[in-house]
Amino acid sequence: MKTNLEWLITASGLKNIRCVACSHLLKNGFDSVSVMDSPKSVRWVKPDELVITTGYFLINNEEGQKNVIHELKKAGCAGLGIKIKSYFKQIPERMLKEAEEAGLPLLEIPYYYSLSEISQTIFGHIFEINYQSRIREQRLIEDISDIFFSKRGVMEIVYRIAEFMKRTVILTDSDLKCIYAAKRMKDKQVCTKDDAIKKVSMSEDGHNIFSFPDKTQRAVYYVAIPNADSFLLVLEDGVRVTKDEECIIERCTKILSMGLEQVRAKHGDRFEFENAYYKELYEYLSGLRQCNDAELRNIFQEIEIPIEKKRVMLLFQIERGTGFDSGLRELIQYKITKGRETRGFESCIFYHNDKYIVYLFTDTNKSDPFVCHSAKKLAEEIRESFSSVSLQAGMKVGISKSSQDIGGIRKAYQEAVKAIDIGERLGLEESVFLFSTLEFYDYLLQYPLKNKKQLSGNIQYLLYYDEQNNTELAQTLLKFLEYKFNMSDTAKALYIHRNTLLNRMGKIKELLYNNLETMDELIPLCMEACAYQLFS
């Protein structure tokens, strides 16, 4: 890790060090310091090194003064510091002129500092920078290891890496198709899921140049993920990835490799499909296979999926018990055919292990709320019938939003999976989960913030106040929001008198500087309540 000349002058604690040439280059970084006591010492100077000297060997040597500037610049020196009032009363004008022409920062160091004192200060600071950097890196590895072991998914690992590096990071398959992209705001249009990225050339300074779907070409550092047929791309955008960053990326890719293997293992190897096309479709839905539009249309044609119609997807996840009923597919088909809400719907049903995947298709003139409502009613009827005959086997159902575009077929599966996952995280009592009602929680889960408790700052503040003052304001506010701002219902739920509730609400308004009256004041608190419910 490097520090810079600006720190040395302004924040090192060494007073009265001045830049007398090339002050516009004070941001120049350096990671070491050396003492030069003879002209021959130049050959040992390393790139990005600050050189300091008493200037003894340069006295009355105008040619040597000129040469040392150009030789240091050629060696990649970050700057030259010369003590004054030891051998030079002041730095010669010739050296200042040569330094400006060569682009080498020249520092004037007061006589009362020894060179060893300056070196010790600089090395101490560089050690502290490196130490703090190693702590941050270790925290990153611990964080993504925790994500892996708690099975929170590869996407969260990618987002955590991007947050650490403060760069856009993209996970691709072996064909450089985007799987996940953790993007900075200025790169939000660079690519989306399944977009193709191409390597086009290498720049003169060794940058790999990639072409992106937003019609831009960017410098990229990329590395293959071990045993995963995938790549991790890090956008450089003029700021090249450092050696330290390369090392941490290499460590992260090993955990990413295990995460990708975890995803594959989760889906298993056992398939119960009528033909190979259902297997190919399932692999596409679960991210194990990449297909172009022509391949997808061929699969859909073979299994007779009407891709031109509006669709919604239901994922029935079975918790197997001894009473598991293997006739679930027939039950689902019967309920679709006989159901009042699903009359006239077409369907595609297949299963893998304990998952039954059901696509419902209807005319495009049906509204999205109607399609999702029909799917929910169907799921509730199927679950009720299933529970009555399979008492020892549980069932959870995730329902996607409705869609019509071809990419929505995979997205619908992902939404149904997320709906079940979010429902379980929230501990919801019901077993049928609509993604459309849980979508905001998905946004919270994807939000690239390490400490998710920050998303519920007002509630966390009230919890702290409760702990210090033995009150129950946080719980009171949460109940008030849960019961749709109804004071009577909130008081009953808390088993307190209405006047007690009014006193508590008055204190909450005072602490949060919020009147709790308009939607502009209430909606942010509702969002915080969702975050608290999800991450507490």
Side-chain angles (χ1 to χ4, degrees), residues 332-354:
I332 294 172
Q333 188 64 67
Y334 174 79
K335 290 293 185 181
I336 294 172
T337 305
K338 298 297 182 180
R340 184 166 63 89
E341 284 83 3
T342 54
R343 189 173 300 156
F345 279 56
E346 297 178 56
S347 63
C348 172
I349 307 170
F350 59 100
Y351 65 97
H352 168 243
N353 289 344
D354 300 336

Side-chain angles (χ1 to χ4, degrees), residues 36 38-46 49 51 57 67-73 75:
M36 184 168 64
S38 76
K40 294 181 180 180
S41 301
V42 174
R43 72 182 70 176
W44 309 117
V45 173
K46 299 175 183 177
E49 189 170 58
V51 173
F57 66 95
N67 291 340
V68 76
I69 296 293
H70 292 281
E71 289 175 6
L72 288 174
K73 179 63 179 179

Side-chain angles (χ1 to χ4, degrees), residues 211-222:
S211 174
F212 290 87
D214 65 346
K215 299 181 180 179
T216 60
Q217 292 190 353
R218 301 164 182 256
V220 172
Y221 175 81
Y222 79 109

Side-chain angles (χ1 to χ4, degrees), residues 20-24 69 95-104 106:
V20 292
C22 296
S23 58
H24 61 288
I69 296 293
M95 292 190 73
L96 299 179
K97 182 179 178 181
E98 293 295 338
E100 287 286 355
E101 291 178 357
L104 180 73
L106 208 56

